[in-house]
Amino acid sequence: MRVLITGASGGLGAAVVEQFLAEGCQVAGVARSWTECDERFQRISADLTSEEGSARAVAEAGPVDALVHVLGGFAGGEPVATASQLEWDRMLKLNLGAAFHSFRAVLPGMLERRRGRIIAVGSRAGVEPVAGLSAYGVSKAGLVHLVRTLALELKDTGVTANIVLPSIIDTAANRAAMPGADASKWVQPESIAKVVSWLASDGARDINGAVIPVYGEA
Ligand SMILES: NC(=O)c1ccc[n+]([C@@H]2O[C@H](COP(=O)([O-])OP(=O)(O)OC[C@H]3O[C@@H](n4cnc5c(N)ncnc54)[C@H](OP(=O)(O)O)[C@@H]3O)[C@@H](O)[C@H]2O)c1
């Protein structure tokens, strides 16, 4: 199986890459930039918030059986009344726009081959609003809606689209940002990666349009 993983250098993305490599898959990973070399998988540098960047990344990766769209970013803290327009625009572009472009870039090939899996990473905040996280929450709610819409459109095509919703993930970045928090309740990146890889497996071929919470003990 050949898999394209966006956000592949991030806290969760790196674990998703490791999971697919451990299963013997061919992996192509996308991020805007890469600092280290790793011969085990193809590293693609592209900004996926543009249609052009997404199209180029998918062309570089070649035909893939699955797209795992991990890419996303977090911002928040201000209520709607005072939240910045800049942050609103950035969250929608990053968490929703990049998914739209990435899905559209892989879909023609998957539809032609009548085979493919699209697996997106959303967030619990996309189905459970959090005060102060309007832009992030709306962008992730939009992603859930986009994936569910896509799943309806993909009926009988051999291609499926599903989304997993992590709660707080136990990443180095979160540990550094929240030193006093109880990290034992956070979900492990490896645990989410296993759910994602199962969704890409043959055993999940009949699952389409699923919105799967992966909350750990939170
Ligand atoms: N961390 C959490 O607690 C948590 C909770 C719920 C949901 N999630 C979701 O889980 C996913 C992964 O989170 P994470 O914590 O692993 O994120 P992360 O560590 O910040 O990683 C983000 C990844 O996306 C890439 N990226 C960012 N902007 C990009 C762009 N414009 N074009 C291409 N690549 C880009 C980054 O690489 P470059 O910077 O080099 O581009 C990096 O590989 C996200 O969708 C996030 O919303 C995370």
Side-chain angles (χ1 to χ4, degrees), residues 7 9-12 32-33 46-48 70-72 122 140 167 169 174:
S9 65
L12 175 58
R32 281 168 303 182
S33 60
D47 184 341
L48 299 179
V70 182
L71 184 165
K140 289 295 192 179
S167 55
I169 306 172
N174 277 340

Side-chain angles (χ1 to χ4, degrees), residues 31-114:
R32 281 168 303 182
S33 60
W34 295 90
T35 48
E36 291 158 25
C37 276
D38 188 334
E39 300 302 321
R40 297 175 306 153
F41 68 100
Q42 182 186 5
R43 295 182 162 203
I44 298 169
S45 300
D47 184 341
L48 299 179
T49 57
S50 78
E51 185 175 18
E52 183 276 330
S54 293
R56 189 168 52 74
V58 168
E60 271 187 47
V64 291
D65 302 293
L67 166 71
V68 184
H69 185 69
V70 182
L71 184 165
F74 178 82
E78 286 285 320
V80 173
T82 53
S84 85
Q85 165 94 47
L86 213 65
E87 186 174 292
W88 177 265
D89 291 344
R90 193 171 73 83
M91 284 293 97
L92 287 176
K93 193 172 174 184
L94 190 59
N95 291 331
L96 193 50
F100 177 70
H101 294 309
S102 301
F103 297 172
R104 280 159 56 91
V106 291
L107 277 167
M110 287 182 173
L111 289 170
E112 197 181 309
R113 294 186 294 277
R114 292 196 61 79

